[in-house]
Amino acid sequence: MRANPHPHHTDQLNDVRNLGILAHVDAGKTTITERILYVTGATYKRGEVHEGTTVTDFDSQERDRGITIFAAAVSCAWDGHRINLIDTPGHVDFSDEVERSLRVLDGAVAVFDGVAGVEPQSESVWRRADRHGVPRIAFVNKLDRAGADLDAAVESIRERLHGSPLVVQLPIGREDGFVGVVDLLRMRALVWADGQDRAEEVPIPDDLREEARRRRRVLEEAVAELHPVAFEEFFAQSAISAMTLTTALRDLTRTGEAVVVLCGSAYRNRGIEPLLDAVVSYLPSPLDVPTITGAQDGAVRERTADPATPLAALVFKVSSTATGRLAYLRIYSGTMRKGDTVLDVGAGRTERVGRILRVQADRHAEVDRAVAGDIVAVIGLKSARTGATLSAPEAPLLLEPPATADPVVSVAVEARRSAGSDRLATALARLVEEDPSLAVRTDVETGQTLLSGMGELHLEVVVEKIRRDHGLDVAVGRPQVALRETVARGVSGLLYRHVKQDGGAGQFAHVVLDVEPLDVATGFAFRSAVVGGRVPREYVRAVEAGCRDALAEGPLGGHPVTGLRVTLTDGATHSKDSSELAFRTAGRLALREALRACRMALLEPVVEVAVTVPEDAAGGVLGDLAARRGRISDTTARAGTVVITATVPLAEVFGYATRLRSRTQGRGTFTTRPAGYAPAPDEQPSR
């Protein structure tokens, strides 16, 4: 075995935690991040969202709007551990930022509102974390607010997220009187006095002693059911020690079998230190997560989180700053030093690492090198984009990039002065490079530049960025939704012959296709039912590639096609003139012809809308949603308010915020999350 030149680094990796803060918009993620920075001594003054003085929401728009838009990476230290923290956006329009962040995190803190419990967007990010297998702990925030109820919030986690919540704290005092928590593991009370930054350890108040014992028992029983070692101890001694509980909770968190639940009030700085202790105790280090895999020469290879192995890093965010291009990256293996030459594997280009920065949101500390497990920012990469893999040139390894969602809303943008057109094109190109969930194209019919993104707010933010950062005066058209086309009734046995003879080698390919409708959520499926090798396997792959090419534009209005299954049933080849190119062309043209023969239907994007309104305004809001072609799925009364859940076409949600405010005298709020596609009415414009 080769000696590790940095043995202490591997030990240090055990002390690193890469985590994200996930939640519904307004649950208090950014305030928690600010308090963590304050408690760990990374900042000397508490940042406030409502005052616009936060560290992580350092973009001027984030401060103006009071929401997180761009995932911010910050680094701090607690109890001998380094915590790399990514404060992710909660708003649905920026879910792609969350997706990219989850790709590089080892663990997460899911934040829930103590009054509202699990909200639609918290459910979405939870499901995303499930997909990525990211272990998480839960923090029920805002326990100082009227109507806050830890038990109700925990119940909503159990019911809506199907998690196994294990509550390790008991709140001391309710609502305004919330002053601290009982730690059920060590059976001690932590109280935060007004004006004090740190908790004071005191005996458990007499009136809570019995309740604390009962809850400790519930915790022990729940852990014993899930963890064999804890079960043995519980069976033998009818109790579980704090040490065994800690180990069991760590194991259950990392396997995802259970979720440790803590509580507090970030705004009042109550509950942050125990949360940091839980992060260190239960969430994994880079050594505890599965080994990263990537492609090398067509084979799947593994790389361990070891500074001595060859470098492999993933760029998960690119941003342009006054000092140049900043690329945020997660290093999975190896060591990166200042001045190194690295290979951008996907692009096949080498890049030079100018400077490596340990990031504190908008402040940076320069370091000479970064090792496996680190999240750092790099200056000097000329062209590496979001999702790029950087590796040692002599050992290239291609990591899977984060998935990018398709944009659903477009607006036409143009510079008000003709002189600004070139600058606008440059600005848009740079923004698309920073944010892969944006797309820019020119409308063939109108010649307009169309900017597409994940929602109305997403595009508003981008346009505002063009105005502020690039000093351009731009005109913006009305938002348009991205329509899709689907197969309502298919065709079978469509024969297509592709024969071309024009001197030299010819092209010959015969294909027979069946096309049938498929669930829109599945998108596109292709299979071959050819028997007797009438179409060789490599040509079958070429036909599939050709069919995928044909999905870009449907016959109704040139929209992308989804929700269909294509079966290749037969075909014919020519010994000399058949080639992969000929069959790819045949596949494309055959499917195009088949779609013209099918009965097609238009689809429009729909969203699930959750509207929270005072009881007296509920009737008017229900009527308005019905007028917007909304299908009401649920109405729940909660403490003087009503939560209405409905599925509404995205096109009908544009401008809804203003309408809702006027209907409810500014007291109504709503959130949305994508709910796929649904049939559009026939009078929908084709473009």
Side-chain angles (χ1 to χ4, degrees):
M1 193 177 123
R2 193 163 48 131
N4 182 350
H6 323 292
H8 63 292
H9 276 310
T10 311
D11 300 339
Q12 283 175 352
L13 275 188
N14 219 7
D15 298 333
V16 173
R17 298 289 180 276
N18 292 319
L19 70 136
I21 306 236
L22 310 172
H24 185 86
V25 65
D26 267 355
K29 294 181 307 303
T30 299
T31 305
I32 286 176
T33 307
E34 292 299 326
R35 294 301 181 264
I36 287 174
L37 291 179
Y38 180 67
V39 165
T40 56
T43 56
Y44 303 105
K45 181 178 180 297
R46 291 190 226 172
E48 302 294 358
V49 174
H50 57 90
E51 291 173 5
T53 55
T54 58
V55 175
T56 52
D57 285 355
F58 53 86
D59 185 86
S60 56
Q61 282 201 71
E62 297 182 297
R63 293 189 168 173
D64 291 353
R65 294 174 192 265
I67 59 167
T68 302
I69 296 169
F70 313 106
V74 287
S75 208
C76 56
W78 180 255
D79 191 21
H81 293 69
R82 183 162 72 249
I83 296 175
N84 294 321
L85 187 66
I86 297 185
D87 174 26
T88 63
H91 200 286
V92 63
D93 283 17
F94 308 104
S95 54
D96 239 51
E97 283 269 340
V98 181
E99 187 72 31
R100 291 195 288 278
S101 304
L102 280 170
R103 177 71 173 74
V104 298
L105 296 173
D106 300 328
V109 175
V111 182
F112 300 97
D113 184 314
V115 182
V118 174
E119 296 171 273
Q121 200 53 35
S122 34
E123 206 171 321
S124 293
V125 291
W126 188 271
R127 300 271 169 261
R128 278 172 191 268
D130 277 344
R131 276 207 312 278
H132 286 274
V134 174
R136 66 217 89 131
I137 55 181
F139 183 77
V140 178
N141 192 21
K142 303 192 177 185
L143 279 197
D144 57 323
R145 282 183 50 201
D149 184 338
L150 174 64
D151 292 342
V154 170
E155 200 44 49
S156 72
I157 293 173
R158 195 188 312 279
E159 280 176 16
R160 295 193 58 178
L161 305 179
H162 312 299
S164 300
L166 299 173
V167 185
V168 296
Q169 291 177 340
L170 165 66
I172 301 173
R174 285 182 72 84
E175 299 179 355
D176 251 5
F178 171 69
V179 292
V181 294
V182 175
D183 171 357
L184 297 176
L185 261 76
R186 301 199 196 144
M187 293 305 278
R188 57 182 186 154
L190 298 170
V191 173
W192 287 267
D194 276 335
Q196 277 198 338
D197 293 331
R198 291 292 167 104
E200 192 185 339
E201 194 173 324
V202 296
I204 298 172
D206 295 344
D207 57 338
L208 286 178
R209 222 169 254 155
E210 201 43 54
E211 178 68 359
R213 272 198 209 101
R214 187 184 71 75
R215 289 191 180 227
R216 165 67 180 245
R217 186 79 187 164
V218 169
L219 176 66
E220 288 179 2
E221 286 170 359
V223 170
E225 271 182 35
L226 295 165
H227 196 275
V229 176
F231 174 76
E232 279 174 26
E233 189 172 313
F234 189 70
F235 187 71
Q237 300 169 16
S238 76
I240 305 176
S241 69
M243 204 165 141
T244 306
L245 267 180
T246 304
T247 308
L249 290 173
R250 176 186 302 141
D251 294 346
L252 294 171
T253 300
R254 292 178 186 181
T255 57
E257 288 171 85
V259 180
V260 173
V261 181
L262 298 99
C263 61
S265 160
Y267 178 61
R268 295 201 174 180
N269 214 27
R270 289 172 187 167
I272 300 299
E273 299 106 289
L275 175 63
L276 285 164
D277 290 340
V279 161
V280 164
S281 298
Y282 309 131
L283 289 179
S285 77
L287 296 175
D288 302 317
V289 294
T291 311
I292 192 76
T293 57
Q296 188 176 10
D297 304 327
V300 175
R301 296 261 191 276
E302 286 194 346
R303 287 267 170 94
T304 52
D306 180 350
T309 54
L311 175 75
L314 185 77
V315 177
F316 67 94
K317 181 179 166 66
V318 174
S319 67
S320 303
T321 64
T323 49
R325 255 173 124 249
L326 260 190
Y328 291 83
L329 44 95
R330 161 77 193 256
I331 300 179
Y332 285 101
S333 66
T335 302
M336 180 184 277
R337 291 178 181 78
K338 197 167 131 177
D340 274 0
T341 297
V342 294
L343 176 69
D344 177 344
V345 184
R349 274 192 299 263
T350 54
E351 294 264 25
R352 191 176 166 280
V353 177
R355 293 156 63 202
I356 303 173
L357 307 174
R358 174 108 31 240
V359 183
Q360 244 139 30
D362 56 346
R363 298 201 310 278
H364 311 113
E366 204 163 326
V367 290
D368 288 336
R369 68 170 172 202
V371 299
D374 268 335
I375 290 181
V376 289
V378 168
I379 291 181
L381 305 182
K382 294 274 190 300
S383 58
R385 302 180 67 133
T386 303
T389 304
L390 302 178
S391 79
E394 69 281 1
L397 182 81
L398 184 64
L399 303 177
E400 187 191 342
T404 302
D406 290 333
V408 288
V409 183
S410 306
V411 290
V413 287
E414 61 180 352
R416 285 193 197 275
R417 292 189 197 81
S418 54
S421 299
D422 291 349
R423 279 174 59 211
L424 176 62
T426 310
L428 288 170
R430 185 178 287 179
L431 286 164
V432 170
E433 190 178 272
E434 284 184 23
D435 182 352
S437 62
L438 285 173
V440 174
R441 65 185 176 86
T442 305
D443 189 307
V444 192
E445 290 170 21
T446 62
Q448 288 179 305
T449 300
L450 293 179
L451 174 66
S452 308
M454 303 306 293
E456 215 180 348
L457 179 64
H458 188 200
L459 295 180
E460 265 180 42
V461 165
V462 171
V463 168
E464 190 59 30
K465 213 167 160 49
I466 294 171
R467 288 182 179 137
R468 289 187 186 189
D469 298 1
H470 300 273
L472 278 168
D473 189 9
V474 287
V476 182
R478 284 193 54 210
Q480 302 286 322
V481 295
L483 299 175
R484 294 278 185 273
E485 297 178 25
T486 191
V487 174
R489 193 179 62 235
V491 294
S492 58
L494 184 123
L495 168 66
Y496 188 85
R497 292 186 173 88
H498 175 62
V499 184
K500 204 169 161 201
Q501 291 295 155
D502 46 5
Q507 286 190 21
F508 181 97
H510 284 197
V511 293
V512 182
L513 300 181
D514 287 356
V515 178
E516 57 190 320
L518 186 66
D519 178 26
V520 173
T522 314
F524 170 71
F526 180 90
R527 61 182 179 172
S528 167
V530 177
V531 289
R534 287 174 60 80
V535 181
R537 190 176 297 161
E538 64 270 26
Y539 293 167
V540 171
R541 280 204 298 269
V543 174
E544 180 180 354
C547 287
R548 287 186 186 279
D549 295 342
L551 297 176
E553 288 187 2
L556 290 182
H559 311 291
V561 182
T562 186
L564 70 160
R565 175 186 279 117
V566 176
T567 307
L568 177 66
T569 58
D570 201 1
T573 58
H574 183 279
S575 57
K576 273 219 294 280
D577 290 348
S578 285
S579 63
E580 285 189 32
L581 176 65
F583 272 90
R584 183 167 184 158
T585 308
R588 185 179 79 243
L589 298 175
L591 183 54
R592 218 177 254 179
E593 192 170 298
L595 291 175
R596 284 198 288 272
C598 291
R599 197 173 92 231
M600 302 294 287
L602 269 182
L603 297 171
E604 61 180 342
V606 292
V607 290
E608 185 186 281
V609 180
V611 190
T612 307
V613 292
E615 275 174 15
D616 56 1
V621 169
L622 281 164
D624 187 37
L625 285 170
R628 290 169 184 269
R629 300 188 283 130
R631 287 201 323 278
I632 311 296
S633 53
D634 187 41
T635 55
T636 315
R638 189 196 290 150
T641 61
V642 177
V643 182
I644 301 163
T645 311
T647 305
V648 187
L650 179 62
E652 301 285 354
V653 182
F654 296 147
Y656 184 56
T658 315
R659 183 67 180 270
L660 183 66
R661 272 201 295 273
S662 66
R663 277 192 171 277
T664 60
Q665 287 85 46
R667 293 176 300 161
T669 59
F670 79 101
T671 57
T672 62
R673 62 171 176 167
Y677 284 83
D682 295 337
E683 68 272 10
Q684 186 85 32
S686 66
R687 269 269 178 211

